[in-house]
Amino acid sequence: MTAVVFIHGTGVREPGFSALAGRFSAGVTALRGGLRIVPYYGGGEHGAALAAGGASLPPSAGTSRGPAAPDAGDDDTALWAALYADPYAELTLAAAGSAPAAELPPGSLPPDQRIRARLAALAAEGDAPAADLGP
């Protein structure tokens, strides 16, 4: 009996994997009978886990998924919306050698300095946040 090993893509997790493996198996065996389909799910053992309550994910409109940054606000949501609309927007701007024209309110940091300020704040916390993530 011929065996066909089904390996999922990097973005597939349960319960989607089982449904996808079922559709794959049905489709392949409809084309040729007598096949043994062997689904391999590596996401559980070898895949990435979502830690820190999803703090690395962009916020959905009107909600927060992690600790709020001191200067986080509507402009962060607008930036994420722009990236959802065009995932290559930042790369396009970088390739063109230009930055988006934006007027900053008094006291705010330019985008390149905002990330530096956030990284400096995280560095000042030391290893304390990592302890919350578990082993």
Side-chain angles (χ1 to χ4, degrees):
M1 177 179 273
T2 302
V4 176
V5 179
F6 173 73
I7 302 173
H8 62 89
T10 58
V12 179
R13 296 289 182 262
E14 285 295 3
F17 171 75
S18 293
L20 182 60
R23 287 194 314 269
F24 174 82
S25 180
V28 169
T29 54
L31 295 174
R32 180 175 167 206
L35 296 175
R36 182 171 64 99
I37 308 300
V38 180
Y40 174 75
Y41 179 66
E45 184 177 344
H46 303 291
L50 184 60
S56 63
L57 298 175
S60 38
T63 64
S64 173
R65 290 193 176 159
D71 59 343
D74 292 338
D75 59 307
D76 282 349
T77 303
L79 290 173
W80 279 110
L83 286 173
Y84 278 130
D86 179 10
Y88 300 109
E90 289 180 320
L91 295 174
T92 302
L93 290 172
S98 63
E103 200 171 312
L104 298 175
S108 66
L109 295 173
D112 62 326
Q113 290 181 0
R114 270 191 286 178
I115 190 68
R116 290 180 189 185
R118 289 180 182 173
L119 289 171
L122 283 173
E125 292 182 32
D127 292 334
D132 295 339
L133 299 177

